[in-house]
Amino acid sequence: MERSELKALLEQVRTGAISADEAVDQIGEEPLVELGYATPDLHRGIRQGVSEVIYGAGKTAAQIAGISEALLAHGQGRILITRLGQEKAEAVRGLLPEGSGFRYEETARMGIIGSAPEPDGVGVVLVLAAGTSDLYCAEEAAITAEMLGSQVKRIYDVGVAGIHRLLAHTDDIQHATAIVAVAGMEGALASVVGGLAPCPVIAVPTSVGYGASFGGVTALLSMLNSCASGVSVVNIDNGFGAGYQANLINHVGK
Amino acid sequence: MERSELKALLEQVRTGAISADEAVDQIGEEPLVELGYATPDLHRGIRQGVSEVIYGAGKTAAQIAGISEALLAHGQGRILITRLGQEKAEAVRGLLPEGSGFRYEETARMGIIGSAPEPDGVGVVLVLAAGTSDLYCAEEAAITAEMLGSQVKRIYDVGVAGIHRLLAHTDDIQHATAIVAVAGMEGALASVVGGLAPCPVIAVPTSVGYGASFGGVTALLSMLNSCASGVSVVNIDNGFGAGYQANLINHVGK
Amino acid sequence: MERSELKALLEQVRTGAISADEAVDQIGEEPLVELGYATPDLHRGIRQGVSEVIYGAGKTAAQIAGISEALLAHGQGRILITRLGQEKAEAVRGLLPEGSGFRYEETARMGIIGSAPEPDGVGVVLVLAAGTSDLYCAEEAAITAEMLGSQVKRIYDVGVAGIHRLLAHTDDIQHATAIVAVAGMEGALASVVGGLAPCPVIAVPTSVGYGASFGGVTALLSMLNSCASGVSVVNIDNGFGAGYQANLINHVGK
Amino acid sequence: MERSELKALLEQVRTGAISADEAVDQIGEEPLVELGYATPDLHRGIRQGVSEVIYGAGKTAAQIAGISEALLAHGQGRILITRLGQEKAEAVRGLLPEGSGFRYEETARMGIIGSAPEPDGVGVVLVLAAGTSDLYCAEEAAITAEMLGSQVKRIYDVGVAGIHRLLAHTDDIQHATAIVAVAGMEGALASVVGGLAPCPVIAVPTSVGYGASFGGVTALLSMLNSCASGVSVVNIDNGFGAGYQANLINHVGK
Amino acid sequence: MERSELKALLEQVRTGAISADEAVDQIGEEPLVELGYATPDLHRGIRQGVSEVIYGAGKTAAQIAGISEALLAHGQGRILITRLGQEKAEAVRGLLPEGSGFRYEETARMGIIGSAPEPDGVGVVLVLAAGTSDLYCAEEAAITAEMLGSQVKRIYDVGVAGIHRLLAHTDDIQHATAIVAVAGMEGALASVVGGLAPCPVIAVPTSVGYGASFGGVTALLSMLNSCASGVSVVNIDNGFGAGYQANLINHVGK
Amino acid sequence: MERSELKALLEQVRTGAISADEAVDQIGEEPLVELGYATPDLHRGIRQGVSEVIYGAGKTAAQIAGISEALLAHGQGRILITRLGQEKAEAVRGLLPEGSGFRYEETARMGIIGSAPEPDGVGVVLVLAAGTSDLYCAEEAAITAEMLGSQVKRIYDVGVAGIHRLLAHTDDIQHATAIVAVAGMEGALASVVGGLAPCPVIAVPTSVGYGASFGGVTALLSMLNSCASGVSVVNIDNGFGAGYQANLINHVGK
Amino acid sequence: MERSELKALLEQVRTGAISADEAVDQIGEEPLVELGYATPDLHRGIRQGVSEVIYGAGKTAAQIAGISEALLAHGQGRILITRLGQEKAEAVRGLLPEGSGFRYEETARMGIIGSAPEPDGVGVVLVLAAGTSDLYCAEEAAITAEMLGSQVKRIYDVGVAGIHRLLAHTDDIQHATAIVAVAGMEGALASVVGGLAPCPVIAVPTSVGYGASFGGVTALLSMLNSCASGVSVVNIDNGFGAGYQANLINHVGK
Amino acid sequence: MERSELKALLEQVRTGAISADEAVDQIGEEPLVELGYATPDLHRGIRQGVSEVIYGAGKTAAQIAGISEALLAHGQGRILITRLGQEKAEAVRGLLPEGSGFRYEETARMGIIGSAPEPDGVGVVLVLAAGTSDLYCAEEAAITAEMLGSQVKRIYDVGVAGIHRLLAHTDDIQHATAIVAVAGMEGALASVVGGLAPCPVIAVPTSVGYGASFGGVTALLSMLNSCASGVSVVNIDNGFGAGYQANLINHVGK
């Protein structure tokens, strides 16, 4: 409840339009749907300007479908479901009502209801991936930013071991509004891009690698210690978080 | 060298204004000052829109003063020196020429030459600190953002153990353009703020704590795993990096 | 053997009712059933006021059934088996005698013999879970506390990213006798609840999360470093331990 | 602000005793003292039933004295300052007004204003320490519990390498209301005590040890993995937290 | 080649019995069977007084059978194969010649050729296990010591959470020649036994546990930091190593 | 583009043979094949003197075949594919055109197109493996060095627990040009070899071991801390990298 | 109290020589001196056959002197104080009565009261150290074993990087009763010695090294993963523990 | 002792020039100086082609001077002492005889006796450092390679955040015989150089950085996971080891 709403409510009490008891109830009323196993937050759109996203891992298909339906019932037309395996996605599809418009993005492991809005950001979100193996994460970032209203450009397989592959895209790097840099192994892409880009860089370590890459920890640490300024980092494999953050940056002042 | 400059140069070759040999030399010429122990990058301002910052740790006072003088000599009027202990700061002050305008910010451990520019960002950078012990890092972030051209608002000692202290500032959180959330111990501030804010949140873990805080590692991990979307993270105690990133966000579209 | 029992025994020796040799044997006699592969402790109820619980992981169905039968044969009417997978549970059911009253709680992965006693605690044990994915652990805590004699209230999916979902339950938090706070990812729930609650809070980190959550380590560290007082922590996913501890607290003075 | 207070306030609006604007301000008013560097929480006593405690590490003597004075000025007669080195303690003493009653507990590294209240708990808090080197932490726990209103019994140097030293105190262990078990090295004390005690055991790992004790991490892990039920754990060297939790347990139902 | 053998050889050279070239060849000759994929060491019995043991993990059934045959062909009548899964064991059995006398110990996951020798040690090797889940490792230790010539006594499920279960066996602990203490979780058994036993204690951490037991690391660290003297430690789950070491101790002076 | 090529290009501009615009385009042109999911680097042969190697893990069979075909189409006759499981290898074989000459090395998990060149190195690359279980990694190193033009000698199962097995090969160690030392468990082979060899030693830790070998981390750390000079280390299980580096060393001055 | 003593006591009760109450008191009486800060265990000699050793770290000089005096007063003529810095040693010397016979071993950082007994072990304890920097730890092991009754032979600076230095002592290794192998860095000494020795080897990792030696962790892990059988390990820098264990082994059957 | 020497010796036995006993003694005689605290290896020059280097850390000035004198007395004219602090260096200088020619390199923390030899390697060893703070380690590498007979070129402060600073030196990178790449923080320099260089690259992580750089661990991990082939790694801050290895590579075939 916004401060302005609170004041309006209190005015109603003052004029006797509602009783104090009713006001207490309303102040206490939570904008939530209680499903038992989950409490979808219907006000997040108002509070944060972005709609609810469902984290698919650790939820059953029935729970995901149930939450989706509750959100659809309350008028939310666009839903993202992240970390959704193919098999569970098919189960969710089967549980949703006909015509839900559910579709599945395999590389990004995302379920989507609704289409992407017209891009209305400041400029372009650039998604860079170091290697072919990092695409699952780069696509998660790219699709997230698109679904939230950004124009996205993808440039993949531009790791620093062949630095000229990256330098060939200096123009795109110089003119992006926000950059998502996705890399596994030693994650050096973030530092080189951070040194070339005049815009914020969101680095995403991936779990690609073996041995002392420790499932992405090396890339994570490398990115956190980037010698370039202007680089911040999200969790390992968190393409969603990076795309979300990049989209927020791309809407600054909007 | 920008692509436009390269083309102009080639035109000069075509018209015979300069020889091919001269052009090769110019293309190869690096916009760097070679000091032996360091290679200050005079083109960073052009390339990234922000001036050179000197990382003070691990450099001698003589090296810091030397780099500063080289930068001043090439016309850079505003210099930040981070991670500068008080004693070394005094030594730097003594080595710089009279009237250099060097000043020292003790809490933030920063040396500064030149004054902050007029703020010209989109809105306000909000710097939140969980506890009194986190101020050294929060101030580093705040001063960095100010020196780079942002208006900054500071709210300190609003850790989540007394959640109402934080909720009292919901308005500021709702209206910031970028938020820097500084916290040690378990770093939970980032998640709560991330859930309240509609703008990007840059989380800074501090090394405040003891025992299993592992010098900031717990806060770092906690922030990377934030259940709130829109949170990205920088290195432990990296207030500078957070302030730098927040300022970039605050200048999107500018 | 209690000190009073020892004294009584010695009196019997003094009066010649039993010989010294017999006394030595009795003093040495252990209140244990020797099964070869296990040594169930029949006196734990006397010594600690709570009946034996069987840790199901790493035991075969035959061993679990064997221990259960030994306990039933010695008059213990209520048995908890934790960390019991569904398949093994069915095997245990098949090995137990008809009418053992064995039932299986799927979400909590617990096997249960006997029904919950009438709650006789001081007040209410409140079990809070941050997300839908944490339910397996929260239910283990809740059922444990119920089976040991506590009234339990469950509130689920109240993670701090939507802080108002939690604040809507401030009354329950203020009036609980003990709180179990279950969360994965960054585990910030414990700190916020710890700041709101006047009673002891037992925090349970879950292995929910990915990447740098390290199977619950981040939540564990976060909870151990809680900036709120009055929070103690149990092992990752140890809902049983938290429920056990909360029930003990709920019976203080009883 | 409690729900009952909110309702009373709203009644005042209804009767016109105060305006809606005033009510909004009161609802928003935080029960905090704004000191710039800190925001002491004056309502914690009301909210959690325990007064504010000052975490001394990372604060200057001036900040500690300032916060103390603010608390004294608002009527709080009893203040604990933890993690306070001797030198800083003397500086705090010098900055506080005459007659503040400040005293310093050297072993526990605590500053104290005011005397301990009459014990009003359910029973006795038992503080056990494994070795002579663990006393700094055990005393922090014991004094904290005493200052918060518990009767405390101390038994020190009863590590498990000489198990009979511990077993000699079985009576005390059987009859305590809450036990704080303090140990470094391998921290096995918690498991043995956990198996003997019918009450909640709060285990405190200390940083005592060398080599692979990793500053208390081994004891911490050991305690978290205790094979005994009814043991929960606080951060390494967090005697304060354990004493605080034990005192809460000792006041259940009060 | 022993020093005495070298001297004899040189005498033969001096007397012309063999040429210098032949001597060089003999000195260089290695007492090994070259199988290509492996180099069984036929002199280990001479050098270390114990026969070759085959580490089964990471070897194919064909390789294990091949090495076994080579050893049998060179007169070694007793072979231990550790870390041998049931399926691979059956394959090995099929590849060995009829009448090899191969048998499989399922709990200990060991393949054995030949029968245990008459015990000829100083006394008894005592193998203690904390829980039912630790038996796989305890049995590996016990069988190893038996196969190498020790009398072994097993006492299982005597973890410290029920300390009286362990104390009931104080006599055995007091009179053993060497003790193997096997435990997972927090591994406290080693410290308590170390404090009771007058003989060397070899502690074996097992991978039994969950969460912060980290696959046996907690037990390992706990045992390394044992506050009791006279405890040394082997790798996680290395029952073989502990049994081997205990048997060596049991043959001191023999 | 080499500096000499750049100068030639500029001369063409000067003489009007090409326009400035065309020159800009050529300077910017990257010697890459854009496949969408990958960007094979056709100039690596020129830049580094070695042909492209395909890292097979994390790529689909279709991607691997596609990259291979692109390389073959651009005239590269010899291709290595590392970390290629058997099943995927068969799929790749099926996707490649008839007569591609693809073959699969099972132990080394490598796919190979083309035959090894005539060895043209300075001397011999010696590949040592500590145990039978390390062969997968040793073979990867050996085949890599052979395919890149080195003569390779293999000596396997010469771990330090039977030091005479290793010392029997002192001659080979003394006369190698480069040595690859492959070992798991405690990785001590590298130190002993490093003390015997007058040439560079590349140590490869393998993931062979259990418990506190942590998947090769112990061997890695051990090798990095080798008390012998002249030892450098590659990632866990990175036989390819070691063979590659050894081959480079074997071609110094060539 | 031994079982035989218990029986004798009970006989006295039976005959009326003492009352039941007196017997209860005697059974409960602990063989401990209560010093407040410590509880020296006077029966350890009886129970474990070795006298009390004082762990000097974390104890004040006054506490060490107090415990020493208590032990001397109860007739213990030989006391070891480990981890005793030079300065604290002088303070202890000053606090002990004249003629206490206290002496200080600087390299081993040990305080000693009383002289070493006549060696009465089975054979010789061999102490090997890899480098000059490891002497502090090797000496602690050697002196401990000597003070407890073993003949000790020291061989230092025989690290594996110069393997012939170690092989020169093969005879000593072959004929020792127990070996203590002390090494830092990669700790490979333990594995090579373990492969050469027919007796138990106690490995002691030292904190000697830098970078990725992690204060001894690398050596510790290396030793735990030794590919040689018959090696067990103690804590980093725990020369005392190794010497203690080696002495126990050297007295097997005595 | 080489194989050829052994044969010659045996011939002498055969001809009666020496007795078998004398031969045994000679074969057994170690080419070592026994100093008690150290065993300098006088044959390393013969065995490995490089003279003894003294690791200065953990040795006293007296020990260092003693070993140096022993080496000088046996004719070694060139000695390197690594990890030698300034104060200890002065003490060593004072202990050495007049005219020893000892000099101290402050940045590299090395003591040196004798002058560098004429470079006789294949080409040039290139030493690259990422930042000014890494010079201590880069200089250690450079001086080591020079003292062992290599021509060295240094290029410093060429970190990847300003990639053009590094690319300006592409020629040197293309034409080096071996490259030492020194970097702290995220260590990305190694990957970029590894992608540009046709020669072996030895990467040295430095302990430069803060927070999650963990004293060089991040740079170490990053370098081990380099996506470029041809990169191997030495321990953190081990400039000596890298210079040693680079020099070996630079002498391949010599």
Side-chain angles (χ1 to χ4, degrees), chain D residues 64-95:
Chain D
I64 294 169
I67 298 171
S68 298
E69 286 191 78
L71 292 169
L72 289 168
H74 284 78
Q76 185 169 330
R78 196 174 288 129
I79 299 171
L80 294 188
I81 307 158
T82 62
R83 309 228 152 211
L84 185 64
Q86 180 135 26
E87 203 174 343
K88 202 191 282 184
E90 290 318 312
V92 170
R93 188 197 303 280
L95 288 165

Side-chain angles (χ1 to χ4, degrees), chain E residues 135-207:
Chain E
L135 257 62
Y136 69 96
C137 186
E139 276 300 302
E140 191 186 57
I143 292 173
T144 296
E146 284 172 341
M147 285 299 294
L148 298 174
S150 283
Q151 182 184 346
V152 172
K153 174 154 191 183
R154 296 152 166 91
I155 304 178
Y156 294 163
D157 199 17
V158 285
V160 302
I163 194 75
H164 57 298
R165 296 187 299 185
L166 180 65
L167 296 178
H169 300 284
T170 303
D171 256 24
D172 287 314
I173 292 170
Q174 289 278 331
H175 297 114
T177 303
I179 298 178
V180 175
V182 180
M185 297 181 174
E186 91 285 57
L189 181 66
S191 294
V192 176
V193 171
L196 292 171
C199 71
V201 175
I202 313 298
V204 194
T206 68
S207 51

Side-chain angles (χ1 to χ4, degrees), chain B residues 16 18 96 113 128 131 252:
Chain B
I18 64 169
L96 286 173
I113 295 174
L128 301 171
V252 160

Side-chain angles (χ1 to χ4, degrees), chain B residues 161 186 191 195 212-213 218 222 225 227, chain C residues 161 186 191 195 212-213 221-222 225 227:
Chain B
E186 91 284 55
S191 294
S213 82
T218 293
S222 176
N225 285 280
C227 52
Chain C
E186 91 284 56
S191 294
S213 81
L221 292 177
S222 177
N225 284 279
C227 52

Side-chain angles (χ1 to χ4, degrees), chain D residues 161 186 191 195 212-213 221-222 225 227, chain E residues 161 186 191 195 212-213 218 222 225 227:
Chain D
E186 91 285 56
S191 293
S213 81
L221 293 176
S222 176
N225 285 280
C227 53
Chain E
E186 91 285 57
S191 294
S213 80
T218 291
S222 177
N225 284 279
C227 53

Side-chain angles (χ1 to χ4, degrees), chain C residues 126-142:
Chain C
L126 182 63
V127 179
L128 301 171
T132 300
S133 311
D134 300 313
L135 256 62
Y136 69 96
C137 186
E139 277 300 302
E140 191 185 57

